[in-house]
Amino acid sequence: MSALPNCPQCDSEYTYEDGLMYVCPSCGHEWAQDASADASSDEPVYRDANGTVLQDGDTVTVIKDLKIKGTSSVVKVGTKVKNIRLVGGDHDIDCKIDGIGPMKLKSEFVKKAQD
């Protein structure tokens, strides 16, 4: 048997090499071969819609109109959110939006703002 690592997303054992990348045919996840050593860390990595790594305290911009459940309010495209806090779960960003208040966002609907 080969000594290829299991997929870090779905834990499938059917990974294969494609150039300098590992590929999982089950879920389609791709990752760099040299990143497999770093994958052993238990700390999750949060990325924005462009794949940029997010950290606590970053400023992000909303990339899509987001309806707020239970109200008629909307978080508009281009809204800047300062000083985010990363948390586990489905909505992985805790923040406070001016004019709306505290809320949780998904990292897939934001991009890291230019400093």
Side-chain angles (χ1 to χ4, degrees):
M1 275 315 258
S2 69
L4 295 176
N6 288 357
C7 175
Q9 270 194 323
C10 70
D11 202 37
S12 172
E13 61 185 23
Y14 302 111
T15 58
Y16 62 91
E17 291 181 70
D18 185 19
L20 297 176
M21 303 288 284
Y22 289 127
V23 179
C24 175
S26 300
C27 69
H29 179 65
E30 297 180 4
W31 69 101
Q33 289 180 5
D34 59 355
S36 63
D38 298 334
S40 62
S41 135
D42 290 335
E43 190 172 321
V45 176
Y46 299 100
R47 298 182 184 274
D48 68 1
N50 296 331
T52 306
V53 176
L54 296 173
Q55 297 177 349
D56 285 340
D58 281 346
T59 299
V60 295
T61 305
V62 177
I63 62 167
K64 174 182 174 183
D65 280 348
L66 301 173
K67 295 179 183 176
I68 300 173
K69 192 172 187 179
T71 69
S72 60
S73 300
V74 175
V75 178
K76 296 284 190 181
V77 171
T79 301
K80 275 198 171 183
V81 181
K82 297 179 182 178
N83 200 17
I84 64 170
R85 196 179 89 200
L86 300 171
V87 295
D90 185 34
H91 292 73
D92 46 13
I93 297 176
D94 250 351
C95 61
K96 186 174 183 182
I97 300 176
D98 293 338
I100 295 175
M103 66 183 315
K104 292 181 176 257
L105 298 172
K106 291 185 177 185
S107 58
E108 63 194 76
F109 298 124
V110 299
K111 69 177 181 178
K112 190 170 182 177
Q114 300 292 331
D115 291 333

